[in-house]
């Protein structure tokens, strides 16, 4: 099977699993997101280890699960505080050559991607009146797949008409033309969902802001992760997704875009 075929097949299967769990909601979706976030966090710790920082992997992953699940697990928030406090205390009693960097790297993994991924659960579990029936499902679907649509259109536009490098020292193949294509794709995707599904739940101003976040700001998430990998001379965060690399490679844009969408909607409409 060619690399393109593997990429398409993996993408389709992954999308079907996410949509199914997203529709069911509750703990089914929460556990899926927790597993994805934990795997991505484990991959990040691998990048840190390649850079000669030695994070506390087991401790970090346990605290990271709390950071991801707090929207559906009330006890997670106070336990998260305890867990973060324990990280520097644990390093204190271990014989480490670089305890500062090891503790800092561990906490960074708890924040990125674990805590940022919790914003996906904030969207899905919201019961805000303005969403209407099944609004949390459709809004979360819009944001998640809006990021994917923007990424696809950015790639396509870059391949077809791209010529001016966007951020050459980090990702030489990304272009300004591709970035504009992603922005347009993100806004159009959100607009389509407003017209056909979300209707009055989102205003046209909301469409513009959310579309810009999923279409443009999300690209910065991809660039940031590329910068991390390039700094330790690693191409993919992992190899277990044929044609895609690792899970961190797949959610790098989402864990930047979704929290910002959640903050915007919380400030302007209310989510919690």
């Amino acid at each position: 099977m060619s690399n393109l075929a593997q990429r398409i097949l993996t993408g389709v299967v992954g999308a079907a699993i996410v949509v199914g769990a997203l529709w069911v909601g509750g703990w089914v979706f929460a556990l899926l997101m927790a597993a994805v976030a934990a795997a991505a966090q484990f991959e990040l710790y691998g990048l840190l280890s390649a850079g000669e920082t030695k994070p506390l992997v087991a401790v970090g992953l346990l605290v990271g699960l709390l950071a991801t699940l707090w929207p559906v697990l009330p006890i997670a928030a106070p336990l998260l505080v305890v867990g973060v406090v324990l990280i520097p205390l644990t390093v204190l009693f271990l014989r480490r050559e670089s305890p500062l960097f090891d503790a800092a790297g561990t906490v960074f993994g708890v924040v990125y991607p674990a805590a940022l991924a919790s914003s996906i659960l904030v969207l899905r579990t919201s019961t805000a009146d303005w969403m209407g029936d099944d609004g949390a499902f459709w809004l979360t679907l819009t944001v998640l797949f809006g990021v994917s649509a923007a990424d696809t259109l950015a790639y396509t536009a870059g391949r077809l008409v791209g010529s001016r490098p966007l951020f050459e020292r980090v990702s030489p193949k990304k272009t300004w033309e591709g970035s504009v294509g992603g922005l347009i794709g993100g806004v159009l995707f959100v607009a389509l969902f407003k017209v056909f599904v979300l209707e009055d739940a989102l205003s046209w101003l909301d469409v513009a802001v959310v579309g810009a976040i999923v279409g443009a700001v999300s690209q910065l998430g991809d660039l940031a992760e590329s910068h991390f990998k390039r700094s330790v001379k690693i191409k993919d965060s992992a190899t277990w997704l044929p044609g895609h690399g690792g899970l961190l490679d797949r959610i790098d844009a989402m864990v930047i875009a979704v929290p910002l969408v959640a903050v915007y909607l919380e400030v302007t409409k209310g989510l919690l």
Side-chain angles (χ1 to χ4, degrees), residues 3-37:
N3 185 64
L4 177 60
Q6 287 182 330
R7 184 179 179 87
I8 293 173
L9 179 60
T10 304
V12 170
V13 172
I17 292 172
V18 171
V19 172
L22 181 60
W23 175 253
V24 174
W27 275 101
V28 172
F29 185 62
L31 290 175
L32 175 63
M33 287 299 98
V36 170

Side-chain angles (χ1 to χ4, degrees), residues 7 21 25 43 73 79 81 89 104 145 181 193 204 208 251-253 257 263:
R7 184 179 179 87
E43 293 171 10
L73 188 64
L79 289 178
V81 174
L89 297 183
F145 283 83
F193 268 75
W204 285 108
I251 69 169
D252 53 6
V263 168

